Amino acid sequence: MAGITGRIHDLGGCPFVFGYGIIGPIQAAAPVPESAGELAGFITKVQAATGADHVDIVAHSSGALIANY
C-alpha cells in the first residue's frame, strides 16, 4: 500500500477508500446531500465488514465537506 493508506495500515489500521459523488461519464460531483448519503452507506458496509462500532474518516478537500455534512 502506498501513501496515507499504507501508513494507516502500518500503524495497525484497516484503511478503506471511498470515492463519492461521481455521476456520469464526465466525472461531475453529485450534490452534497447525495454524496453524504453515499458515505453513510459506505460506513455501514465498513462496519459490517470489520465489526467496528465506529470509523475514523480521513478526508481531503471537498471530502471534508461531505464528511462533516
Side-chain angles (χ1 to χ4, degrees):
M1 291 185 188
I4 193 167
T5 56
R7 184 68 177 132
I8 291 169
H9 183 266
D10 292 346
L11 292 170
C14 184
F16 288 77
V17 178
F18 174 68
Y20 68 89
I22 304 303
I23 54 174
I26 59 170
Q27 304 289 306
V32 171
E34 183 179 325
S35 295
E38 289 179 29
L39 178 58
F42 181 77
I43 290 169
T44 299
K45 290 178 183 177
V46 169
Q47 288 175 308
T50 63
D53 291 331
H54 74 275
V55 301
D56 295 315
I57 298 175
V58 178
H60 171 72
S61 192
S62 61
L65 172 68
I66 302 306
N68 284 324
Y69 186 86

